[in-house]
Amino acid sequence: MESGNQQNGSDPQPESAAEQTTESGGERTESVSDAPSFSIVSVISRSCNMFSKNVWFYWALMLLAMSPSMFFVFGVSSQIGAVAVVAAKKVLEVMGQACVAYTVFQLAVGNKPTFGKVLSKGFSRLATILLTAIAVGVSTAIGSVFFIIPGLIISCLFFVAIPVCVVERQGVLYSLARSVDLTEGCRLKLFVIALIVGFMLQISEMLGAVVANAAISIAILPFLLNIVFSSLPAAFAAVIVAVCYQELRSIKEGFSVESLAIVFD
């Protein structure tokens, strides 16, 4: 007499991770060992691959997004004015990150977005993206005031808030809550990725400052060089965050790249 693995001569059906089956009068739970999981190596590898294929586009896109901040340099003669210039650079850098996120998903499905289209789409949600970035920054700063660990934890919770805001076109609170939900169970790995991204950005800022100081005698040139040298790693960091968002949605919700790429339509 054959076992209960076959019924009516048909082949056995595959079981899900939570499915219960009967064997020898008892019950067992079968797990799927090859279930997809969030991988640091996969994220970095995919990010490097995507960035290397379109490095000039991403770099130029971040430069274009950040370039308006150069106009703030003219007429700046006070410390307050200098702070305003740095703030403008950071604000436009956030917009550059949003534009890069949009580009990542479009290029992933073979579309060829133009600079004009990408920038117009990004700046069309300027207020919401900036408010989301401010909320993330303030929350992280408050956490870091008490001790650096809470700040790092908060940064992992909100790691993909900007891509959520860009792709899903929702408000600030939704973007933050959605990021918390997507990162659940993967935050330790995201912490490692966040350290990599943070290290890259810190090195770029230091390099930009060194080059800028070397040209300090030429009016606007130091600031211009700082933007040029910091925008490349900033663009790569934005690609990494966008890939993290895509990986998390694909693993947790089964969304394909094609589904994620339909943005701002």
Side-chain angles (χ1 to χ4, degrees):
M1 183 175 180
E2 295 181 340
S3 64
N5 288 339
Q6 295 185 351
Q7 296 180 0
N8 299 327
S10 61
D11 293 331
Q13 298 297 316
E15 301 171 78
S16 64
E19 187 176 354
Q20 300 288 328
T21 59
T22 304
E23 182 179 37
S24 302
E27 290 188 347
R28 64 181 177 86
T29 302
E30 184 177 345
S31 62
V32 180
S33 59
D34 59 348
S37 60
F38 187 81
S39 168
I40 297 175
V41 174
S42 175
V43 168
I44 299 299
S45 176
R46 287 192 59 216
S47 299
C48 289
N49 182 53
M50 296 182 69
F51 189 71
S52 63
K53 289 181 178 179
N54 300 279
V55 59
W56 298 113
F57 188 90
Y58 288 124
W59 193 5
L61 183 61
M62 186 64 75
L63 276 173
L64 285 173
M66 295 171 63
S67 60
S69 60
M70 289 187 294
F71 293 102
F72 289 88
V73 177
F74 295 102
V76 172
S77 58
S78 64
Q79 186 174 3
I80 296 177
V83 171
V85 169
V86 174
K89 178 175 177 286
K90 291 298 182 182
V91 166
L92 292 168
E93 185 176 326
V94 170
M95 289 311 304
Q97 293 171 358
C99 292
V100 168
Y102 170 78
T103 305
V104 165
F105 302 124
Q106 292 299 308
L107 290 175
V109 293
N111 294 336
K112 298 295 182 182
T114 62
F115 289 117
K117 181 179 180 181
V118 172
L119 291 172
S120 65
K121 294 298 185 182
F123 279 91
S124 67
R125 288 185 55 77
L126 175 64
T128 306
I129 292 171
L130 288 182
L131 288 174
T132 302
I134 291 171
V136 173
V138 170
S139 301
T140 303
I142 292 175
S144 300
V145 166
F146 296 99
F147 196 64
I148 191 170
I149 299 300
L152 293 174
I153 293 174
I154 292 173
S155 67
C156 291
L157 291 174
F158 299 148
F159 194 72
V160 295
I162 295 299
V164 168
C165 183
V166 172
V167 175
E168 302 182 30
R169 292 177 288 181
Q170 298 292 333
V172 177
L173 295 179
Y174 175 91
S175 298
L176 298 178
R178 178 79 164 132
S179 179
V180 172
D181 181 60
L182 286 173
T183 58
E184 184 178 1
C186 304
R187 289 167 192 153
L188 183 58
K189 295 179 180 179
L190 286 171
F191 172 74
V192 176
I193 295 175
L195 287 180
I196 296 173
V197 171
F199 178 76
M200 288 172 43
L201 294 178
Q202 187 65 31
I203 291 297
S204 70
E205 289 290 339
M206 293 173 59
L207 179 61
V210 169
V211 175
N213 288 334
I216 194 68
S217 61
I218 310 177
I220 195 176
L221 187 58
F223 187 73
L224 176 61
L225 290 175
N226 183 278
I227 289 180
V228 170
F229 278 88
S230 62
S231 58
L232 180 61
F236 182 50
V239 170
I240 292 177
V241 175
V243 171
C244 284
Y245 170 76
Q246 179 185 322
E247 288 274 312
L248 289 170
R249 289 203 64 180
S250 296
I251 291 169
K252 294 195 170 189
E253 302 172 350
F255 268 62
S256 63
V257 175
E258 290 78 7
S259 299
L260 292 172
I262 305 174
V263 187
F264 302 121
D265 293 334

